[in-house]
Amino acid sequence: MSFRTIYLDLEKEDAHDLITQSVDGIQSKKANGSIEYRDLGGMLLAILSDEGSKHGAQAKLRYQTSVIMPLLAHGRVKAREIRDAVDNHRVN
């Protein structure tokens, strides 16, 4: 799997609220200070964490962009939904 990173101008918890309100069929769990998003089968889709080093960013989202097998392509679609939920808050 490959992941892409975007930086957000809102806090991790606010981004998490947007994601959980916008995307159905995912689970979230806190792990090592970050929030992991998985599909209902347990596949990792995205990781949301705090970000303090990039100018103007408060959170960082790493989301899946490719998969190893076509059978798992639904994960890439769900990961895009997670990204889309917070994309308006992207820091360039």
Side-chain angles (χ1 to χ4, degrees):
M1 284 187 275
S2 296
F3 286 80
R4 183 166 290 148
T5 301
I6 62 170
Y7 297 90
L8 307 171
D9 66 1
L10 70 167
E11 293 182 10
K12 179 178 70 179
E13 292 302 325
D14 292 333
H16 175 65
D17 289 343
L18 281 173
I19 291 167
T20 57
Q21 291 169 12
S22 302
V23 183
D24 295 326
I26 61 171
Q27 307 173 58
S28 64
K29 159 180 124 169
K30 293 191 179 191
N32 300 320
S34 297
I35 301 171
E36 294 181 349
Y37 298 95
R38 296 179 180 272
D39 69 5
L40 298 179
M43 181 173 44
L44 182 63
L45 303 171
I47 302 168
L48 180 65
S49 57
D50 291 314
E51 174 62 38
S53 62
K54 187 156 173 83
H55 181 69
Q58 296 181 42
K60 172 173 68 174
L61 179 71
R62 292 186 65 236
Y63 65 97
Q64 183 189 122
T65 58
S66 67
V67 292
I68 297 170
M69 297 182 291
L71 169 66
L72 303 174
H74 70 280
R76 185 177 58 224
V77 172
K78 276 295 177 191
R80 240 182 276 135
E81 288 180 37
I82 292 169
R83 183 216 50 212
D84 290 348
V86 294
D87 203 43
N88 288 338
H89 295 278
R90 186 189 298 216
V91 173
N92 293 326

